[in-house]
Amino acid sequence: MADTLEFNEIYQEVKGSMNDGRLRLSRQGVIFKNSKTGKVDNIQASELAEGVWRRVALGHGLKLLTKNGHVYKYDGFRESEFDKLSDFFKAHYRLELAEKDLCVKGWNWGTVRFGGQLLSFDIGEQPVFEIPLSNVSQCTTGKNEVTLEFHQNDDAEVSLMEVRFYVPPTQEDGVDPVEAFAQNVLSKADVIQATGDAICIFRELQCLTPRGRYDIRIYPTFLHLHGKTFDYKIPYTTVLRLFLLPHKDQRQMFFVISLDPPIKQGQTRYHFLILLFSKDEDISLTLNMNEEEVEKRFEGRLTKNMSGSLYEMVSRVMKALVNRKITVPGNFQGHSGAQCITCSYKASSGLLYPLERGFIYVHKPPVHIRFDEISFVNFARGTTTTRSFDFEIETKQGTQYTFSSIEREEYGKLFDFVNAKKLNIKNRGLKEGMKQSYDEYADSDEDQHDAYLERMKEEGKIREENANDSSDGSGEETDESFNPGEEDDDVAEEFDSNASASSSSGDGDSDRDEKKPAKKAKIVKDRKPRKKQVESKKGKDPNAPKRPMSAYMLWLNANREKIKSDHPGISITDLSKKAGELWKAMSKEKKEEWDRKAEDARRDYEKAMKEYSVGSKSESAKAERSKKKKKKQEKQMKGKAEKKGASSKSLSSTKSPAKNMSESFKSKEFVSSDESSSGENKKEDSEEEGVASLPPSSEESASGSD
């Protein structure tokens, strides 16, 4: 048999609320960890007195009773897990896991039994319901009635306010059954009564949440905050954690008390009680107990007379009464040497403390995030300035916390801390690059330093060096390294210097001058086709068939007027929302009718598109043929005009042969035809030069044949 049993998705019943978590059974005992708060309940194996298996709302449940009377209830087990649990209890705890079902007869008359901290209402041998007396906040009596009132739990959807028991009178003299019933309840109930003297009182302490100055009175079982407007009574059983955090200025201290359930003021819930102390403030404290009582109760953790800093006295007293450890910052140190980081959360500025097992932010609103509930963290670039970054935390429940405006000098320290704690980092690749930029920033004292601009400058220098190293004959230049304004200035200066330079140095300067205009002309020539490509855009054909509407749009067009008549004065936005609701609520059969219509419209569209594509192809072919025919006619007209020009030139050449030697003309065999190309035109130009060099006699014979 395995030494441990582990169960996920187990629910613990606490004041009517089912808190999910994980349950682990081992040789040493039973451990339950709350997934929401991280609170751990540890029941030693030697303390277990009884185990009960029964059917409950969430399947099957396990009820554990301890020797000191505490009751723990866990739900969410499967029926098949009973044998495994029963064998484990026998082997390791030497207990029989009893099966007891609740009575479901619905009777309201039975017997009340008190066992430890549990009140059980039974019919026969079967329990109907059970009430943990620690949940009772008040007990009042009547003639033959006892009324129990209960502590409320904000997490519970439905809360039980009170229960009334009718207690019949008995014939025994001297014993009042109602008073006996009430005394049994009050002996175990968690009733907060400020009776007797306080152990000690701290006067006028500054409290950040809830805000104000409060007198804190320390009682054996609860804490009493007394202010000018409000009073709060905080049982020590609701204290979850204690934190002692140094302020960044090293002159003040925060003392944080985490509460579950929180204290309430109207609709406001305070999950954290935050006190602010000055380190210079001292106090001498005397406990309202004799030395023997102090020694017996606190076992040397407190003494009757104490003196020291105020924050030390408050933290020592709270630690002794609550019996919980005080959490302080670990080995983290920020850029300035402080154990916290200045940042903003939501609209307020505060301090983020990296702890050994989590993060805590103070103070408005206070936030505590444990490492085991973090899914991943993310380092993001600041949204307003490059001198800061954001630190994002996302929990496994999907809640995201963003701490913004953190100075970039804190990045290295925070990254090393997160990496050492082995938290999952979302953008690890990006962050490595960010860490390098942080090292560069550390050497810069400029207020406005743009890393992106510096990187662009470096890349520009590399491109210029590559351009200078390239050979002059390659003829390839990058557009980025070309600056027309600078080129013109350099060329002009060199021409000015050549005017006064000697002939020996003029040759080298002229070579440089010839290269620069060539480079300029080539780059301008390469850019021309780009502009043409940008300017050419295709328009949408207005004759193309329109796309078919969806089933929803067909239904909306048919029912739009009906919706308007049913809701007069409705706006377009509200009409769309209402239509969406009606369509969503429509039955599947009615929607199928509109789906068929949409399918028919789609088929018609596809048919029209086929016809349109065939028609558009024939029209484009016709347009292409007409365009070619028109172009051919234009070329023929151009050829006739050139023939007339050539004949007129040949006539004029007979009259003035001397003038004809310096002018060129086109004879019949060199007149361009309809299919002449640009390559043939170049050939004709070269041949015209040969014709121009012929003697006048040959020219006259050519014109005569024409």
Side-chain angles (χ1 to χ4, degrees), residues 267-279:
Q267 296 298 319
T268 308
R269 303 290 183 268
Y270 297 105
H271 291 270
F272 293 89
L273 178 66
I274 303 180
L275 303 171
L276 183 62
F277 299 97
S278 174
K279 282 188 174 182

PDB file of all heavy atoms in Angstrom, residues 267-279:
ATOM      1  N   GLN A 267     -20.557  48.075   2.234  1.00  0.00           N
ATOM      2  CA  GLN A 267     -20.248  47.189   1.114  1.00  0.00           C
ATOM      3  C   GLN A 267     -18.745  47.031   0.883  1.00  0.00           C
ATOM      4  O   GLN A 267     -18.337  46.334  -0.039  1.00  0.00           O
ATOM      5  CB  GLN A 267     -20.906  47.728  -0.163  1.00  0.00           C
ATOM      6  CG  GLN A 267     -22.419  47.755  -0.118  1.00  0.00           C
ATOM      7  CD  GLN A 267     -23.011  46.372   0.053  1.00  0.00           C
ATOM      8  OE1 GLN A 267     -22.556  45.403  -0.542  1.00  0.00           O
ATOM      9  NE2 GLN A 267     -24.037  46.263   0.899  1.00  0.00           N
ATOM     10  N   THR A 268     -17.932  47.671   1.712  1.00  0.00           N
ATOM     11  CA  THR A 268     -16.478  47.605   1.562  1.00  0.00           C
ATOM     12  C   THR A 268     -15.921  46.445   2.369  1.00  0.00           C
ATOM     13  O   THR A 268     -16.324  46.224   3.508  1.00  0.00           O
ATOM     14  CB  THR A 268     -15.828  48.921   2.013  1.00  0.00           C
ATOM     15  OG1 THR A 268     -16.457  50.018   1.336  1.00  0.00           O
ATOM     16  CG2 THR A 268     -14.345  48.923   1.700  1.00  0.00           C
ATOM     17  N   ARG A 269     -14.987  45.707   1.751  1.00  0.00           N
ATOM     18  CA  ARG A 269     -14.321  44.594   2.425  1.00  0.00           C
ATOM     19  C   ARG A 269     -12.844  44.920   2.550  1.00  0.00           C
ATOM     20  O   ARG A 269     -12.209  45.343   1.588  1.00  0.00           O
ATOM     21  CB  ARG A 269     -14.499  43.292   1.629  1.00  0.00           C
ATOM     22  CG  ARG A 269     -15.951  42.901   1.381  1.00  0.00           C
ATOM     23  CD  ARG A 269     -16.623  42.471   2.682  1.00  0.00           C
ATOM     24  NE  ARG A 269     -17.985  42.016   2.471  1.00  0.00           N
ATOM     25  CZ  ARG A 269     -19.060  42.793   2.548  1.00  0.00           C
ATOM     26  NH1 ARG A 269     -18.912  44.085   2.812  1.00  0.00           N
ATOM     27  NH2 ARG A 269     -20.268  42.302   2.373  1.00  0.00           N
ATOM     28  N   TYR A 270     -12.298  44.721   3.741  1.00  0.00           N
ATOM     29  CA  TYR A 270     -10.883  44.961   3.995  1.00  0.00           C
ATOM     30  C   TYR A 270     -10.208  43.614   4.249  1.00  0.00           C
ATOM     31  O   TYR A 270     -10.318  43.048   5.340  1.00  0.00           O
ATOM     32  CB  TYR A 270     -10.687  45.893   5.189  1.00  0.00           C
ATOM     33  CG  TYR A 270     -11.259  47.276   4.997  1.00  0.00           C
ATOM     34  CD1 TYR A 270     -12.441  47.660   5.627  1.00  0.00           C
ATOM     35  CD2 TYR A 270     -10.619  48.207   4.184  1.00  0.00           C
ATOM     36  CE1 TYR A 270     -12.966  48.930   5.453  1.00  0.00           C
ATOM     37  CE2 TYR A 270     -11.140  49.476   4.001  1.00  0.00           C
ATOM     38  CZ  TYR A 270     -12.313  49.825   4.639  1.00  0.00           C
ATOM     39  OH  TYR A 270     -12.836  51.087   4.454  1.00  0.00           O
ATOM     40  N   HIS A 271      -9.484  43.120   3.234  1.00  0.00           N
ATOM     41  CA  HIS A 271      -8.783  41.847   3.374  1.00  0.00           C
ATOM     42  C   HIS A 271      -7.446  42.008   4.084  1.00  0.00           C
ATOM     43  O   HIS A 271      -6.858  41.015   4.509  1.00  0.00           O
ATOM     44  CB  HIS A 271      -8.545  41.224   1.999  1.00  0.00           C
ATOM     45  CG  HIS A 271      -9.805  40.760   1.333  1.00  0.00           C
ATOM     46  ND1 HIS A 271     -10.305  39.492   1.498  1.00  0.00           N
ATOM     47  CD2 HIS A 271     -10.680  41.400   0.514  1.00  0.00           C
ATOM     48  CE1 HIS A 271     -11.429  39.358   0.806  1.00  0.00           C
ATOM     49  NE2 HIS A 271     -11.672  40.501   0.196  1.00  0.00           N
ATOM     50  N   PHE A 272      -6.979  43.255   4.205  1.00  0.00           N
ATOM     51  CA  PHE A 272      -5.698  43.514   4.856  1.00  0.00           C
ATOM     52  C   PHE A 272      -5.854  44.669   5.835  1.00  0.00           C
ATOM     53  O   PHE A 272      -6.510  45.674   5.521  1.00  0.00           O
ATOM     54  CB  PHE A 272      -4.607  43.862   3.827  1.00  0.00           C
ATOM     55  CG  PHE A 272      -4.241  42.727   2.917  1.00  0.00           C
ATOM     56  CD1 PHE A 272      -4.929  42.529   1.726  1.00  0.00           C
ATOM     57  CD2 PHE A 272      -3.214  41.859   3.239  1.00  0.00           C
ATOM     58  CE1 PHE A 272      -4.597  41.486   0.881  1.00  0.00           C
ATOM     59  CE2 PHE A 272      -2.879  40.812   2.397  1.00  0.00           C
ATOM     60  CZ  PHE A 272      -3.571  40.626   1.215  1.00  0.00           C
ATOM     61  N   LEU A 273      -5.238  44.507   6.992  1.00  0.00           N
ATOM     62  CA  LEU A 273      -5.146  45.581   7.983  1.00  0.00           C
ATOM     63  C   LEU A 273      -3.701  46.059   7.960  1.00  0.00           C
ATOM     64  O   LEU A 273      -2.778  45.302   8.274  1.00  0.00           O
ATOM     65  CB  LEU A 273      -5.532  45.048   9.368  1.00  0.00           C
ATOM     66  CG  LEU A 273      -5.442  46.019  10.541  1.00  0.00           C
ATOM     67  CD1 LEU A 273      -6.446  47.145  10.396  1.00  0.00           C
ATOM     68  CD2 LEU A 273      -5.681  45.288  11.851  1.00  0.00           C
ATOM     69  N   ILE A 274      -3.469  47.315   7.548  1.00  0.00           N
ATOM     70  CA  ILE A 274      -2.117  47.844   7.363  1.00  0.00           C
ATOM     71  C   ILE A 274      -1.870  48.965   8.356  1.00  0.00           C
ATOM     72  O   ILE A 274      -2.594  49.972   8.370  1.00  0.00           O
ATOM     73  CB  ILE A 274      -1.906  48.354   5.920  1.00  0.00           C
ATOM     74  CG1 ILE A 274      -2.173  47.234   4.910  1.00  0.00           C
ATOM     75  CG2 ILE A 274      -0.492  48.888   5.748  1.00  0.00           C
ATOM     76  CD1 ILE A 274      -1.991  47.647   3.474  1.00  0.00           C
ATOM     77  N   LEU A 275      -0.852  48.785   9.186  1.00  0.00           N
ATOM     78  CA  LEU A 275      -0.449  49.797  10.168  1.00  0.00           C
ATOM     79  C   LEU A 275       0.890  50.372   9.745  1.00  0.00           C
ATOM     80  O   LEU A 275       1.762  49.649   9.248  1.00  0.00           O
ATOM     81  CB  LEU A 275      -0.330  49.173  11.568  1.00  0.00           C
ATOM     82  CG  LEU A 275      -1.584  48.476  12.102  1.00  0.00           C
ATOM     83  CD1 LEU A 275      -1.271  47.734  13.384  1.00  0.00           C
ATOM     84  CD2 LEU A 275      -2.700  49.476  12.342  1.00  0.00           C
ATOM     85  N   LEU A 276       1.053  51.680   9.944  1.00  0.00           N
ATOM     86  CA  LEU A 276       2.295  52.373   9.576  1.00  0.00           C
ATOM     87  C   LEU A 276       2.942  52.923  10.843  1.00  0.00           C
ATOM     88  O   LEU A 276       2.301  53.647  11.617  1.00  0.00           O
ATOM     89  CB  LEU A 276       2.001  53.510   8.587  1.00  0.00           C
ATOM     90  CG  LEU A 276       3.211  54.277   8.057  1.00  0.00           C
ATOM     91  CD1 LEU A 276       4.141  53.365   7.279  1.00  0.00           C
ATOM     92  CD2 LEU A 276       2.764  55.444   7.183  1.00  0.00           C
ATOM     93  N   PHE A 277       4.216  52.572  11.061  1.00  0.00           N
ATOM     94  CA  PHE A 277       4.942  52.993  12.258  1.00  0.00           C
ATOM     95  C   PHE A 277       6.190  53.762  11.858  1.00  0.00           C
ATOM     96  O   PHE A 277       6.762  53.530  10.787  1.00  0.00           O
ATOM     97  CB  PHE A 277       5.370  51.782  13.102  1.00  0.00           C
ATOM     98  CG  PHE A 277       4.233  50.938  13.597  1.00  0.00           C
ATOM     99  CD1 PHE A 277       3.855  49.795  12.914  1.00  0.00           C
ATOM    100  CD2 PHE A 277       3.539  51.287  14.736  1.00  0.00           C
ATOM    101  CE1 PHE A 277       2.822  49.008  13.359  1.00  0.00           C
ATOM    102  CE2 PHE A 277       2.494  50.508  15.200  1.00  0.00           C
ATOM    103  CZ  PHE A 277       2.130  49.363  14.510  1.00  0.00           C
ATOM    104  N   SER A 278       6.612  54.644  12.741  1.00  0.00           N
ATOM    105  CA  SER A 278       7.903  55.305  12.594  1.00  0.00           C
ATOM    106  C   SER A 278       8.935  54.522  13.405  1.00  0.00           C
ATOM    107  O   SER A 278       8.663  54.095  14.529  1.00  0.00           O
ATOM    108  CB  SER A 278       7.827  56.750  13.094  1.00  0.00           C
ATOM    109  OG  SER A 278       9.103  57.339  13.089  1.00  0.00           O
ATOM    110  N   LYS A 279      10.117  54.330  12.836  1.00  0.00           N
ATOM    111  CA  LYS A 279      11.148  53.562  13.532  1.00  0.00           C
ATOM    112  C   LYS A 279      11.631  54.253  14.801  1.00  0.00           C
ATOM    113  O   LYS A 279      12.124  53.599  15.726  1.00  0.00           O
ATOM    114  CB  LYS A 279      12.342  53.325  12.594  1.00  0.00           C
ATOM    115  CG  LYS A 279      12.123  52.228  11.570  1.00  0.00           C
ATOM    116  CD  LYS A 279      13.415  51.951  10.828  1.00  0.00           C
ATOM    117  CE  LYS A 279      13.260  50.755   9.889  1.00  0.00           C
ATOM    118  NZ  LYS A 279      14.518  50.442   9.190  1.00  0.00           N
TER     119      LYS A 279
END
